[in-house]
Amino acid sequence: VFVLVELLNGYALGVGELKESEKAILAALNYKAAKRSIRLSAFASVSKFSKIGISLLPTDRWVSNTKLSYGLFSIACEAEAAQMNEEMMKEYGAEVLKQENVSIFDKMRIYRAELSFLGLGQQGRAVEAVEL
């Protein structure tokens, strides 16, 4: 899967002339690669695949591709938290949290990633974790 997605990403980013339907398929393949990468704790790969997948989504992604958008943004948030990249973690997380069509239960995934960052990162930010 990884080699195939890498090759397709190289083509898509180099040529840039994909149809919307092709972009959606490639975004889904990037999500699949990101899910497999996270199981291997390959967080840099997760970040790469999710970032590319997000870039392939249409501007109305939260209407036309809600489930895929949620998956890509959530896994990106988790990967950035694991890599201690607070800025990107918050950016991806905020995108999910502001969506009205995403349930509070689904948003819990973002809160878990943020708590993990604050707790496991040993940042001495227990007050922030409690406020979250």
Side-chain angles (χ1 to χ4, degrees), residues 1 4-5 11 30 44 47 54 56 65 69 75-76 96 98-99 126:
V1 168
L4 173 66
V5 174
Y11 174 78
N30 273 279
S47 294
I54 289 167
L56 294 167
N65 292 299
S69 297
I75 205 166
V96 174
K98 73 180 181 181
Q99 301 309 315

Side-chain angles (χ1 to χ4, degrees), residues 59-74:
T59 55
D60 71 337
R61 60 184 163 240
W62 290 103
V63 176
S64 63
N65 292 299
T66 305
K67 189 173 180 178
L68 180 58
S69 297
Y70 167 75
L72 284 166
F73 276 93
S74 296

Side-chain angles (χ1 to χ4, degrees), residues 15-78:
V15 174
E17 296 295 324
L18 296 177
K19 298 176 189 170
E20 288 301 316
S21 61
E22 294 169 332
K23 287 181 181 180
I25 292 168
L26 187 52
L29 286 172
N30 273 279
Y31 179 51
K32 186 174 186 175
K35 287 194 304 186
R36 290 202 179 173
S37 295
I38 209 162
R39 281 187 246 145
L40 300 170
S41 298
F43 300 112
S45 294
V46 177
S47 294
K48 178 180 65 175
F49 289 126
S50 58
K51 182 178 181 178
I52 292 171
I54 289 167
S55 74
L56 294 167
L57 293 171
T59 55
D60 71 337
R61 60 184 163 240
W62 290 103
V63 176
S64 63
N65 292 299
T66 305
K67 189 173 180 178
L68 180 58
S69 297
Y70 167 75
L72 284 166
F73 276 93
S74 296
I75 205 166
C77 178
E78 292 168 339

Side-chain angles (χ1 to χ4, degrees), residues 6 11 16 43 61 85 100 104 110-111 114:
E6 287 281 353
Y11 174 78
F43 300 112
R61 60 184 163 240
N85 186 347
E100 293 179 10
I104 189 67
I110 302 303
Y111 292 125
E114 291 179 356

